[in-house]
């Protein structure tokens, strides 16, 4: 096939990317505290900028403009990592928009043989004399058979080297996890920046407050807002915690001293593997508070002693708790509009948009709320003081069942260590036993949790009703009342002064 030279004004694609070795060295320096995370990011950026200069010099003899493609801080080895600019460069090459490719070295462009083969296929079938050049001094010219052979050989070796390095790193991290050693990484909020094994007591107090509030009923969005109000920022971004970041912060096993590997708590026959750092949550004896961790995991799994939970955020205290006295349908709080503008008030209305709703009932939201608040808070405080609403938590009825399962797990692991059980049987049986174990622990956490009314501590009584989030207020309301019925106005009259007689609380 006769090939022609590409148009003289067609640019060469110059590809820039820091190598895995460079990234690893910079990140080790960050983890060791030799440089800050910001300084590490700056070094990575400078490395790519230096490559831009190198690539421009490599392309200079061809007398063509250079179009830079840059994938900063991205691996070329990991299969699940997509390199946007690499993909753009290959598309432009295949579309005839480039005269070829140049790079600092071939391992900056390719680390997976499949990526190399995609480009080789185009070089072999293209109708133009494409350019391929690196600054390494080696013959990797994809326009020749010898160059393609060298490129394939080197990329295969580089890929094997990356696999070996990845395997060594994973094995080392797993070894550290099994021994409870801290493996480094980003700065975890709650521990000192200069010594990540030591608790930052100010930050730890905030974390305890947020986690306890979540266990008491606060939704994730409320916890996120409270973190922002307290002026807390994520130490790794310098910005307030996002919803996802707040969730990670609340459910973080590290706060309880538990070592995690690949998202799972590490365990032995004796229980959780504990890390070599100070836990934030401890018992009065100074031991990691494992019971609270398991209660938190039960809350995460949707099992809670707080009763039915709202599936979405609720703005008004009694939305869907108040019911229409005509049709019995739940009423929802809505902002009151006056002359086409939103007012500062709201009302509970029966919404006729629903087939079962009559749409003929409404009541002043603030007046109904105030009436119910006084009633419920009085009942709640009295129950909290006298312990009349719920009995004291007793011993959990399934404690023996849990102990039996733990003994079975220990016996099975002993048989496996003695090579007296086949691998297939061991894996299947262990999975079943551990599933039973986790289910029993979740049941124990929920069964022994303090009921919501009795959770009103002297501290909460001091802060009062307004010191609670709307989620926690609703939990307390539901613990005292089944519903609140809004009856029609007397004599069928609408408007006029608020009539408390229309509001009927239905006690639980």
């Amino acid at each position: 096939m006769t090939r022609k030279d590409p148009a003289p004004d067609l640019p060469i694609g110059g590809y820039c990317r820091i190598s895995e070795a460079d990234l690893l060295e910079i990140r080790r320096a960050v983890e060791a505290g030799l440089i800050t995370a910001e300084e590490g990011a700056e070094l990575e950026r400078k490395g790519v900028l230096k490559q831009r200069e190198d690539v421009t010099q490599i392309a200079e003899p061809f007398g063509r403009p250079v179009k830079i493609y840059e994938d900063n801080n991205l691996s070329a080895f990991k299969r699940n990592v997509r390199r946007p600019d690499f993909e753009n460069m290959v598309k432009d090459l295949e579309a005839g928009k480039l005269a070829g490719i140049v790079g600092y070295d071939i391992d900056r462009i390719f680390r997976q043989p499949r990526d190399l083969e995609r480009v080789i296929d185009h070089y072999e079938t293209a109708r133009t004399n494409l350019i391929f050049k690196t600054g390494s001094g080696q013959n990797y010219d994809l326009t020749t058979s010898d160059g393609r052979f060298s490129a394939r050989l080197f990329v295969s070796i580089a890929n094997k080297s990356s696999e070996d390095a990845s395997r060594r790193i994973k094995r080392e991290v797993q070894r550290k996890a099994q021994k409870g050693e801290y493996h480094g990484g980003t700065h975890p909020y709650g521990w000192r920046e200069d010594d990540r094994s030591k608790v930052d007591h100010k930050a730890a107090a905030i974390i305890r407050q947020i986690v306890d509030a979540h266990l008491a009923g606060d939704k994730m969005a409320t916890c996120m807002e409270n973190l922002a109000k307290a002026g807390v920022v994520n130490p790794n971004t310098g910005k307030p915690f996002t919803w996802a970041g707040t969730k990670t912060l609340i459910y973080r096993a590290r706060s309880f001293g538990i070592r995690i590997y690949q998202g799972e708590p590490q365990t032995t026959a004796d229980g959780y593997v504990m890390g070599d750092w100070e836990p934030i949550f401890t018992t009065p004896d100074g031991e990691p508070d494992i019971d609270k961790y398991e209660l938190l995991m039960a809350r995460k799994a949707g099992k809670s002693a707080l009763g039915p939970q709202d599936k979405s955020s609720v703005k008004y205290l009694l939305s869907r708790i108040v019911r229409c006295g005509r049709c019995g349908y739940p009423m929802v709080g809505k902002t009151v509009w006056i002359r086409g503008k939103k007012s500062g008030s709201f009302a509970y209305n029966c919404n006729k948009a629903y087939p079962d709703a009559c749409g003929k009932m409404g009541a002043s939201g603030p007046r109904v709320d105030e009436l119910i608040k006084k009633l419920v808070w009085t009942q709640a405080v009295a129950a909290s003081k006298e312990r009349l609403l719920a009995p004291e938590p007793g011993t959990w009825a399934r404690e023996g069942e849990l102990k039996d399962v733990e003994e079975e797990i220990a016996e099975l692991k002993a048989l496996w260590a003695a090579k007296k059980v086949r691998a297939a049987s061991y894996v299947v049986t262990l999975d079943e036993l551990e599933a039973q174990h986790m289910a029993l622990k979740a049941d124990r956490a929920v069964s022994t949790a303090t009921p919501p009314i009795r959770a009103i501590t002297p501290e909460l009584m001091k802060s009062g009703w307004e010191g609670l989030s709307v989620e926690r207020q609703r939990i307390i309301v539901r613990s005292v009342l089944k519903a609140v019925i809004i009856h029609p106005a007397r004599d069928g009259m609408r408007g006029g002064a608020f009539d408390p007689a229309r509001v009927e609380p239905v006690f639980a």
Side-chain angles (χ1 to χ4, degrees):
M1 179 177 64
T2 304
R3 300 174 189 263
K4 60 180 181 180
D5 291 334
D9 59 343
L10 206 61
I12 296 176
Y15 188 72
C16 302
R17 182 187 67 82
I18 288 187
S19 70
E20 269 77 17
D22 293 335
L23 287 173
L24 189 60
E25 185 176 344
I26 292 171
R27 288 169 187 174
R28 278 176 176 167
V30 172
E31 290 174 7
L34 301 176
I35 58 175
T36 65
E38 292 75 15
E39 289 170 336
E42 183 64 21
L43 285 175
E44 291 177 15
R45 180 65 184 154
K46 285 181 178 178
V48 172
L49 291 175
K50 178 64 171 64
Q51 278 189 51
R52 280 175 174 253
E53 298 175 5
D54 296 335
V55 163
T56 302
Q57 289 180 0
I58 294 167
E60 191 173 340
F62 299 101
R64 293 177 178 274
V66 180
K67 183 177 180 180
I68 297 294
Y69 297 85
E70 177 184 309
D71 285 316
N72 188 18
N73 199 6
L74 287 176
S75 169
F77 166 67
K78 296 177 181 176
R79 287 180 175 270
N80 61 340
V81 173
R82 184 179 182 276
R83 294 184 287 159
D85 257 22
F86 174 80
E87 295 298 330
N88 291 336
M89 181 178 69
V90 173
K91 286 179 183 177
D92 288 348
L93 185 70
E94 292 173 344
K97 297 179 181 179
L98 296 177
I101 298 173
V102 296
Y104 178 73
D105 203 347
I106 196 167
D107 69 343
R108 306 298 170 104
I109 309 173
F110 310 107
R111 202 73 173 183
Q112 287 285 355
R114 61 179 180 170
D115 290 336
L116 173 63
E117 293 303 327
R118 286 169 60 194
V119 175
I120 285 178
D121 284 346
H122 185 70
Y123 269 77
E124 288 183 326
T125 58
R127 296 181 178 274
T128 55
N129 294 313
L130 295 175
I131 299 163
F132 190 88
K133 182 74 173 176
T134 68
S136 65
Q138 302 294 320
N139 177 21
Y140 298 128
D141 188 354
L142 302 186
T143 63
T144 68
S145 59
D146 286 347
R148 290 191 291 272
F149 173 78
S150 297
R152 283 174 170 135
L153 185 63
F154 183 85
V155 169
S156 294
I157 293 171
N159 182 263
K160 177 65 165 60
S161 174
S162 292
E163 286 182 345
D164 291 343
S166 176
R167 189 165 51 251
R168 286 195 300 271
I169 291 169
K170 287 179 180 177
R171 189 164 57 241
E172 175 62 14
V173 171
Q174 186 176 18
R175 182 196 68 78
K176 285 186 173 183
Q178 291 169 347
K179 289 192 172 185
E181 296 177 10
Y182 177 51
H183 71 289
T186 56
H187 175 212
Y189 178 73
W191 284 266
R192 286 164 41 184
E193 191 169 1
D194 61 335
D195 186 350
R196 297 179 188 180
S197 69
K198 303 295 183 184
V199 165
D200 177 340
H201 294 290
K202 182 178 178 181
I206 294 173
I207 292 173
R208 292 187 194 103
Q209 184 180 2
I210 292 294
V211 170
D212 287 345
H214 181 62
L215 284 172
D218 280 5
K219 290 185 174 297
M220 206 60 67
T222 300
C223 294
M224 180 181 71
E225 290 172 6
N226 290 337
L227 282 171
K229 287 177 183 176
V232 175
V233 297
N234 188 325
N236 301 299
T237 65
K239 299 177 181 178
F241 276 91
T242 61
W243 189 94
T246 303
K247 183 178 180 181
T248 299
L249 180 72
I250 288 174
Y251 292 126
R252 186 173 56 187
R254 177 187 171 90
S255 298
F256 299 84
I258 299 171
R259 185 64 163 87
I260 294 290
Y261 176 66
Q262 294 187 342
E264 295 295 329
Q266 296 298 287
T267 59
T268 66
D270 298 325
Y272 292 110
V273 173
M274 307 310 293
D276 56 356
W277 57 82
E278 292 180 355
I280 289 176
F281 292 91
T282 57
T283 65
D285 297 330
E287 296 296 320
D289 194 345
I290 302 301
D291 287 343
K292 177 170 281 192
Y293 173 72
E294 290 175 353
L295 178 61
L296 195 62
M297 291 302 100
R299 175 86 161 83
K300 185 180 182 181
K303 300 176 181 179
S304 175
L306 300 176
Q309 302 292 294
D310 296 312
K311 293 183 178 179
S312 58
S313 295
V314 178
K315 184 176 181 180
Y316 300 111
L317 173 67
L318 299 175
S319 282
R320 305 193 70 81
I321 296 176
V322 288
R323 289 181 172 268
C324 174
R326 292 181 184 273
C327 63
Y329 204 79
M331 300 168 69
V332 178
K334 296 286 185 182
T335 302
V336 173
W337 288 69
I338 300 175
R339 297 188 182 91
K341 294 183 179 180
K342 285 185 178 181
S343 72
S345 188
F346 69 98
Y348 291 114
N349 296 303
C350 183
N351 191 343
K352 63 182 179 182
Y354 296 98
D356 297 330
C358 68
K360 297 180 180 180
M361 190 68 67
S364 167
R367 296 293 184 86
V368 175
D369 279 6
E370 188 62 29
L371 195 67
I372 297 302
K373 281 178 186 178
K374 290 179 180 178
L375 172 67
V376 169
W377 187 245
T378 302
Q379 292 281 334
V381 171
S384 177
K385 289 178 178 178
E386 299 173 16
R387 299 295 190 256
L388 296 177
L389 198 68
E392 291 287 343
T395 56
W396 184 50
R398 303 176 70 186
E399 196 69 53
E401 189 178 346
L402 176 61
K403 187 176 181 181
D404 289 342
V405 171
E406 289 175 340
E407 288 175 356
E408 286 183 53
I409 291 174
E411 288 172 4
L412 181 63
K413 289 185 175 181
L415 289 172
W416 171 254
K419 299 183 178 180
K420 293 182 179 180
V421 62
R422 295 178 62 185
S425 300
Y426 173 74
V427 171
V428 172
T429 307
L430 184 62
D431 282 349
E432 292 175 353
L433 287 172
E434 286 186 338
Q436 292 178 39
H437 190 225
M438 291 304 294
L440 285 166
K441 287 198 294 184
D443 185 62
R444 181 180 65 180
V446 173
S447 299
T448 58
T450 306
I453 294 300
R454 295 180 64 255
I456 300 177
T457 61
E459 182 183 357
L460 283 181
M461 284 195 287
K462 184 178 179 180
S463 61
W465 178 269
E466 301 303 332
L468 301 174
S469 66
V470 68
E471 295 99 326
R472 293 168 74 177
Q473 290 176 355
R474 286 171 64 83
I475 288 168
I476 293 172
V477 168
R478 282 175 163 159
S479 298
V480 176
L481 302 175
K482 283 186 177 180
V484 176
I485 308 296
I486 306 296
H487 292 288
R490 282 180 284 190
D491 301 324
M493 298 295 291
R494 300 185 66 180
F498 175 73
D499 184 1
R502 293 179 58 201
V503 183
E504 179 190 355
V506 180
F507 289 90

